[in-house]
Amino acid sequence: MRTARRMGYRCVAVYSDADAGAPHCAIDAADGPHAALRIGGAAPADSYLNIPTLLAAAKASGAGAIHPGYGFLAESAEFAQACADAGLAFIGPPSAAIGAMGNKAGAKRLMLEAGVPCVPGYQGEDQTEQRMAAEARRIGYPVMIKAAAGGGGRGMRRVDEAGAFGAALASARSEALHAFGSAEVILERAVIEPRHIEIQVFADSHGNVVHMGERDCSVQRRHQKLIEESPSPAVSPELRERMGAVAVAAARAIGYVGAGTLEFLLDRDGEFYFMEMNTRLQVEHAVTEAITGIDLVEWQLLAAAGAPLPLTQAELDARRAVGGHAIEVRLCAEDPAQDFLPQSGKVLRWSAPAGVRCDHALADGVRVPPYYDSMLAKLVAHGRDRADALLRLRRALDECVLLGIPSNRAFLARCVAHPAFAAGQASTGFIAQHLPAGQRGAAADPARVLPAAGALLAWHRSQRHVRRYPDELHGWSSSQAYAQPLRFTLDGAAQRAHASANGPAAWRVESSAGATPARVEIAEASAGTLQLSLDGQPATLHFAADGAGLYFLLDGIEHTLHDLCDAQPRVAGNGADDGRIEAPMSGRVVALHVVQGEKVSAGQPLLALEAMKMEHSLLASRDGTVATLGAALGMQVATGQLLLEITH
């Protein structure tokens, strides 16, 4: 929207009920008499995927063109054609080009005909389980099952042995059907720990096609990208030229116009294989913008208006040669310690870091709904070389503050600080190899975090009579002579301590666990930030509070604190073996495999929840009988809601 307005166009925002208060709807984001139009309910099918409603909104606003962004209908051939039929310019490729590349099976057949190297596999029309199993044996294990009609890691499974193929096929088809409306899948030989390299292409309606070099998107979870950079540490100038030529030829073969990306796997021997083409602007397009100095959205608008490409291939290559290095990380609402489980809820405090590009739609009080993708922000660091860009990115992640909702910020910081990533050696197996399950949670120093938590709680209690936090202390002191008993949970673990006044604005915090007492002094307090001295060592603590607890960031790690002094002790139970199956996140029930009274076995799939574009299966925690069933197909559930109960 900023680019379009800079070019002289008037913009109209659309929003669902879940996004009514989103920043893109604000007066300074959109303009004109129809600055923001409601298009329906929170569910994507009721709003952002509702083609008739979108076209009606465009007509009502007097718009002449639609930019689809990089999600929802951005790669819908049906939507592109509907825009054309309605006399609207679709700011993207022709519907025929989208249709040609929108199905993985058809796209792969087209690319093979065009001479583009592809991963050996099966993309035939016979989708019976018997044929698919036979093709998997022919290809050889491990194999990848992929949804033919979509991407983003949905409907994708790796299968390492024949015995697991049937269950994996059924699971992939179910997820693909719910995500893309088609259960069609393809099979590919699994390329072990490859690099994920993509080439940005651009074409106009005059027959000009260029590429803007590569982006390395190898660091992924759930087959979805977390970190992208350019240039790739693994791509030489010669390989870049070869891959760029293949990408340009592929775009020409389908009559492409606009921005597009061809994605490849690069194996250990330097051979590359076509995976898919994204017929839209990529999430990570800012990486290419940083090293070329080109606004890709501006080029999209020019191409849609029929203008020729502003630069030649030689001019683009010259720009890249002096463009330095750029690295992007995706800040997501998810819990890495729980296998990157998506999270939703309210942002209590947000502070974007300075010195890097930060694309986001966050603000204090913004609610993150469970209906859409978990990505919250993109941080893009640009430097003169890779080491410089990494240094800037690490600092930015340290300075980024997001409290109130779990995120992957600390995990991203660990990734970019890892020696293997710093050395440019990350493959798609980076997370599994270097940060496997059980090792993704950040390790805090209890000698610092426990005293800091105790002092924060004592200070916060003393401030409850103030409507807002003071800009400075103004002579306030911790004058209580007695030792305050502290009973709280810190990141879910029960804690007991005492905080005694130990000078102006200082406490002596002693844990009942027997740790050495610590002196914590608050040197300065401002809105949401405390400058501390922990036994003489300086520290900055960012915090936010709501009715449920205190959330704080210390030494690069987020923590959650709940004051239990006024609460009744919790009764033990509701563990993994008590038979209660609760919703681990807000979402929609998309599959229900059991009925009340049915006998189940430990590990048996019970139901599946869909949240933030991912499908999550919930399994039986023990053998028994489904005694209580509180879930129904299509039901929207909240975090912690009881879905079913298993009794012996």
Side-chain angles (χ1 to χ4, degrees):
M1 293 172 73
R2 287 192 293 267
T3 294
R5 293 179 69 182
R6 176 174 55 79
M7 295 175 67
Y9 295 104
R10 183 169 64 85
C11 296
V12 179
V14 295
Y15 64 91
S16 72
D17 289 343
D19 285 341
H24 80 278
C25 300
I27 297 300
D28 60 349
D31 52 4
H34 303 284
L37 298 178
R38 177 186 177 274
I39 53 170
D46 298 331
S47 49
Y48 299 119
L49 293 177
N50 190 322
I51 293 176
T53 298
L54 284 163
L55 295 179
K59 181 178 180 181
S61 68
I66 292 180
H67 193 301
Y70 44 67
F72 298 114
L73 293 171
E75 293 183 278
S76 168
E78 179 188 0
F79 184 49
Q81 188 59 53
C83 288
D85 294 342
L88 294 163
F90 177 78
I91 303 173
S95 65
I98 298 175
M101 304 306 286
N103 179 282
K104 282 187 174 68
K108 195 169 180 181
R109 288 191 288 266
L110 275 174
M111 293 298 99
L112 286 169
E113 293 173 5
V116 176
C118 296
V119 180
Y122 173 72
Q123 53 277 345
E125 296 180 1
D126 187 346
Q127 293 279 301
T128 62
E129 183 175 348
Q130 294 78 7
R131 177 63 183 272
M132 300 298 278
E135 292 294 338
R137 289 193 297 271
R138 177 187 63 80
I139 295 166
Y141 289 95
V143 298
M144 297 297 298
I145 305 172
K146 295 183 177 182
R154 308 200 67 182
M156 183 183 297
R157 302 289 187 275
R158 171 175 161 170
V159 189
D160 294 325
E161 57 184 9
F165 183 80
L169 178 64
S171 176
R173 280 177 166 166
S174 172
E175 190 171 79
L177 181 63
H178 288 115
F180 311 116
S182 170
E184 182 184 2
V185 297
I186 66 170
L187 303 178
E188 288 183 346
R189 187 185 75 200
V191 182
I192 305 302
E193 293 189 5
R195 292 269 192 168
H196 184 136
I197 307 294
E198 60 187 28
I199 304 292
Q200 176 73 59
V201 295
F202 227 103
D204 61 24
S205 55
H206 304 278
N208 302 307
V209 186
V210 296
H211 74 84
M212 297 180 174
E214 83 284 357
R215 294 183 291 257
D216 192 318
C217 309
S218 298
V219 179
Q220 305 176 1
R221 54 91 178 94
R222 297 183 183 272
H223 307 293
Q224 293 180 323
K225 306 162 189 172
L226 280 183
I227 305 176
E228 303 100 349
E229 64 179 305
S230 185
S232 167
V235 175
S236 65
E238 294 76 20
L239 180 57
R240 180 177 302 115
E241 186 176 349
R242 281 198 294 133
M243 296 183 76
V246 166
V248 167
R252 287 189 187 280
I254 60 171
Y256 200 78
V257 175
T261 301
L262 282 93
E263 304 199 352
F264 299 92
L265 294 179
L266 177 66
D267 69 17
R268 296 167 180 171
D269 298 323
E271 297 299 321
F272 61 92
Y273 305 95
F274 170 80
M275 281 199 306
E276 63 181 355
M277 183 177 187
N278 295 132
T279 54
R280 55 171 167 81
L281 193 70
Q282 292 282 88
V283 170
E284 59 273 18
H285 71 278
V287 172
T288 298
E289 291 186 333
I291 61 171
T292 62
I294 294 168
D295 185 334
L296 295 189
V297 175
E298 180 178 350
W299 276 38
Q300 282 190 298
L301 294 170
L302 291 172
L309 296 182
L311 297 174
T312 65
Q313 187 66 62
E315 290 170 324
L316 286 167
D317 292 343
R319 281 187 175 227
R320 283 187 54 86
V322 296
H325 200 99
I327 311 176
E328 172 183 292
V329 293
R330 302 189 187 191
L331 184 65
C332 300
E334 61 187 21
D335 187 350
Q338 295 190 61
D339 197 25
F340 305 100
L341 195 68
Q343 305 290 312
S344 57
K346 185 177 180 180
V347 175
L348 297 179
R349 177 137 188 250
W350 163 251
S351 178
V356 297
R357 174 173 172 173
C358 184
D359 292 354
H360 69 89
L362 295 172
D364 293 359
V366 164
R367 288 198 171 274
V368 178
Y371 309 104
Y372 315 127
D373 192 272
S374 64
M375 187 176 69
L376 301 176
K378 301 180 296 181
L379 277 60
V380 189
H382 181 223
R384 60 182 177 275
D385 53 27
R386 191 170 189 268
D388 185 33
L390 262 178
L391 187 65
R392 295 169 186 262
L393 183 59
R394 289 169 183 163
R395 179 199 55 75
L397 282 166
D398 287 343
E399 294 181 0
C400 182
V401 179
L402 176 61
L403 296 173
I405 184 170
S407 79
N408 65 345
R409 188 208 54 79
F411 179 79
L412 291 171
R414 293 185 67 191
C415 286
V416 299
H418 195 281
F421 184 83
Q425 298 173 350
S427 71
T428 55
F430 172 81
I431 290 177
Q433 181 179 355
H434 298 292
L435 294 167
Q439 300 180 26
R440 292 171 185 159
D445 181 358
R448 286 173 63 83
V449 70
L450 282 172
L456 172 64
L457 180 54
W459 179 84
H460 186 258
R461 284 179 178 178
S462 72
Q463 297 295 297
R464 285 178 180 171
H465 69 282
V466 182
R467 289 184 177 272
R468 60 184 179 87
Y469 297 111
D471 290 335
E472 56 187 2
L473 293 176
H474 293 305
W476 169 89
S477 66
S478 55
S479 58
Q480 298 92 337
Y482 62 90
Q484 294 187 54
L486 305 175
R487 186 164 62 88
F488 59 95
T489 63
L490 182 62
D491 301 327
Q495 306 287 343
R496 287 181 180 271
H498 288 84
S500 306
N502 195 244
W507 286 269
R508 182 178 183 269
V509 181
E510 184 174 1
S511 170
S512 59
T516 303
R519 186 177 189 273
V520 185
E521 180 179 1
I522 299 180
E524 184 181 354
S526 59
T529 303
L530 300 179
Q531 298 298 335
L532 305 180
S533 171
L534 293 171
D535 277 337
Q537 297 297 314
T540 299
L541 184 149
H542 301 281
F543 72 97
D546 65 5
L550 286 162
Y551 306 83
F552 67 96
L553 171 64
L554 178 71
D555 297 337
I557 302 174
E558 291 88 357
H559 302 279
T560 302
L561 185 159
H562 294 284
D563 188 354
L564 299 181
C565 283
D566 298 326
Q568 294 296 321
R570 293 186 62 185
V571 178
N574 197 29
D577 61 349
D578 70 356
R580 290 171 60 88
I581 305 298
E582 298 177 351
M585 81 294 253
S586 297
R588 184 170 63 92
V589 179
V590 294
L592 189 59
H593 305 302
V594 296
V595 296
Q596 190 160 331
E598 182 176 341
K599 292 187 178 299
V600 296
S601 303
Q604 177 179 334
L606 302 173
L607 54 86
L609 290 181
E610 182 184 62
M612 291 180 166
K613 296 173 59 178
M614 296 300 295
E615 187 173 303
H616 306 267
S617 292
L618 301 184
L619 311 179
S621 57
R622 67 183 187 186
D623 296 346
T625 302
V626 178
T628 303
L629 183 59
L633 197 62
M635 176 187 289
Q636 191 72 33
V637 299
T639 302
Q641 182 174 334
L642 179 64
L643 303 178
L644 56 84
E645 191 168 7
I646 302 169
T647 59
H648 287 301

